[in-house]
Amino acid sequence: MKVKKYDNYSIIEDVKDFDIGQTLECGQCFHFNKIDDNEYAFVSFNNLFAVKQKNDEIMINTTDDKKINVLIDYLDLNTNYGHIKKELIKRDDLLREAIEANWGIHILNQEFSETLMSFIISQNKQIQHIRKIVKGLSERFGEFLGSINGVDYYSFPDIDQISNISVDDYKELKTGFRAPYLKDASDKLVYYKASANALSDDIYIVDKKIKENVFAGMNEEMAREELKKIKGVGDKVANCVNLFSLSYRGAFPVDVWIKRIMESMYFKREASKEEIEKFALDLYGEYGGYAQQYLFFFGRENNLGK
DNA sequence: CTCCAGGCCGTCC
DNA sequence: GGACGGCATGGA
């Protein structure tokens, strides 16, 4: 991987096993818009990115090293997915089809507070509606970042902004019964930020500090249990935060889709959530999160088990 | 109209 | 500990 800078854009070259469309559309994040084939606008850590991919080249709308590094981290471009895919197929050849269909998925390294709030919102909701609510939350409480093709983009609110959001505000954003859950998560975020001693104005640095100073001392299970103290966070949401934000790539979130997919591919019968979690841990081990995402997107696109 | 959505909580046994 | 109804809102 190599970065070349031009007047007002840069190109990341030699990108392997990555597809921007598959990565953004596979259901792990909610804050993006498709502009054209292989071309997306999205918000990440207070940055508005426009990204266009052509084969193994990614063109981006900045020459700022800091932003480029945020993007490389966010898109997980330094991880060798060729190795991961080979390892998964070695463990289970049944995954081959799902992996080959979505060969370019990367697991994003998302901001902690956005991941937590987004997946609390996600319960009992369709992805399109989750995206609408995240957009509304950002427009109302985030910060204007710019516009692309006439569409305005706002940052996901930072923790200081989140601390000012009331239960009624959340209800106005059509979050329904999740409103008090989001309020509880807001309070916890303020607490995490304070205990991480994260004083910076830079949302990327604050996020890193929370991950390092609050969660890095925990293992995966401890982090999950800590997250489950938040109202509205159960195993599934906690696993999503672990996988998509806290770098626990072994986390295997079991939702209605994964349940259906695993039952149809492996069990050939109904199976409990716990049974599926144990099965996935035994089979995929520390690669569970990757397997989950290949399966999730593949299953959804092909309406597996429905 | 009914059914379901990247679930979880409170309550019951 | 496991089972079950309820839950706001919107889309199919």
Side-chain angles (χ1 to χ4, degrees), chain A residues 199-253:
Chain A
L199 300 174
S200 171
D201 288 332
D202 186 331
I203 189 168
Y204 185 71
I205 291 176
V206 169
D207 186 68
K208 272 231 168 334
K209 286 204 171 189
I210 289 176
K211 287 169 181 170
E212 284 168 9
N213 296 347
V214 179
F215 288 97
M218 305 181 194
N219 61 27
E220 179 179 345
E221 190 187 341
M222 288 162 71
R224 188 168 55 234
E225 293 310 311
E226 171 63 32
L227 292 168
K228 281 166 69 178
K229 291 180 188 164
I230 300 165
K231 240 183 186 325
V233 177
D235 281 315
K236 194 275 174 180
V237 171
N239 276 327
C240 284
V241 176
N242 266 351
L243 173 58
F244 300 129
S245 180
L246 296 181
S247 305
Y248 288 114
R249 302 299 207 227
F252 193 87

Side-chain angles (χ1 to χ4, degrees), chain A residues 29 48 92 97-98 108 189 225 240 250 275 287 292 303-304:
Chain A
C29 64
L48 171 58
D92 177 21
E97 194 183 357
L108 299 170
L189 286 169
E225 293 310 311
C240 284
E275 199 176 359
Y287 295 97
Q292 197 269 7
N303 242 336
L304 229 62

Side-chain angles (χ1 to χ4, degrees), chain A residues 31-263:
Chain A
H31 206 164
F32 66 91
N33 282 316
K34 181 173 183 172
I35 294 172
D36 203 343
D37 282 346
N38 302 310
E39 193 173 352
Y40 286 82
F42 56 91
V43 174
S44 151
F45 294 98
N46 228 5
N47 298 304
L48 171 58
F49 290 110
V51 168
K52 184 174 184 171
Q53 179 171 16
K54 205 182 282 175
N55 300 318
D56 64 349
E57 291 187 354
I58 304 176
M59 188 170 105
I60 57 179
N61 61 333
T62 181
T63 55
D64 180 346
D65 278 325
K66 224 168 95 185
K67 288 180 82 167
I68 294 171
N69 286 331
V70 169
L71 186 73
I72 288 173
D73 180 16
Y74 180 69
L75 298 178
D76 205 27
L77 293 178
N78 281 321
T79 298
N80 183 348
Y81 278 75
H83 170 73
I84 291 164
K85 290 189 284 185
K86 210 181 288 173
E87 190 62 34
L88 277 174
I89 290 172
K90 201 163 81 190
R91 290 176 187 216
D92 177 21
D93 203 63
L94 274 180
L95 284 175
R96 185 185 294 276
E97 194 183 357
I99 291 176
E100 284 176 356
N102 298 300
W103 56 271
I105 290 180
H106 274 204
I107 304 290
L108 299 170
N109 294 304
Q110 301 186 55
E111 192 203 343
F112 175 72
S113 45
E114 177 174 349
T115 313
L116 174 62
M117 306 281 278
S118 297
F119 280 95
I120 289 174
I121 292 167
S122 80
Q123 59 184 267
N124 235 62
K125 278 218 166 297
Q126 299 184 129
I127 289 180
Q128 289 315 313
H129 197 212
I130 302 166
R131 292 182 55 181
K132 244 182 229 170
I133 292 175
V134 171
K135 180 168 174 271
L137 185 56
S138 304
E139 282 174 0
R140 171 121 186 247
F141 294 100
E143 180 187 318
F144 177 70
L145 295 178
S147 65
I148 292 176
N149 285 6
V151 178
D152 291 344
Y153 289 84
Y154 294 80
S155 62
F156 193 85
D158 67 22
I159 292 176
D160 295 337
Q161 291 158 336
I162 285 173
S163 71
N164 291 320
I165 307 177
S166 69
V167 175
D168 284 342
D169 293 330
Y170 284 125
K171 284 192 174 157
E172 278 176 31
L173 291 164
K174 307 294 182 191
T175 58
F177 63 85
R178 306 160 194 78
Y181 302 165
L182 292 165
K183 179 61 184 161
D184 191 44
S186 306
D187 295 343
K188 294 290 199 304
L189 286 169
V190 171
Y191 164 74
Y192 290 146
K193 183 179 173 184
S195 37
N197 200 19
L199 300 174
S200 171
D201 288 332
D202 186 331
I203 189 168
Y204 185 71
I205 291 176
V206 169
D207 186 68
K208 272 231 168 334
K209 286 204 171 189
I210 289 176
K211 287 169 181 170
E212 284 168 9
N213 296 347
V214 179
F215 288 97
M218 305 181 194
N219 61 27
E220 179 179 345
E221 190 187 341
M222 288 162 71
R224 188 168 55 234
E225 293 310 311
E226 171 63 32
L227 292 168
K228 281 166 69 178
K229 291 180 188 164
I230 300 165
K231 240 183 186 325
V233 177
D235 281 315
K236 194 275 174 180
V237 171
N239 276 327
C240 284
V241 176
N242 266 351
L243 173 58
F244 300 129
S245 180
L246 296 181
S247 305
Y248 288 114
R249 302 299 207 227
F252 193 87
V254 178
D255 61 17
V256 289
W257 279 98
I258 282 294
K259 186 167 182 300
R260 275 200 292 264
I261 293 161
M262 299 294 279
E263 285 170 347

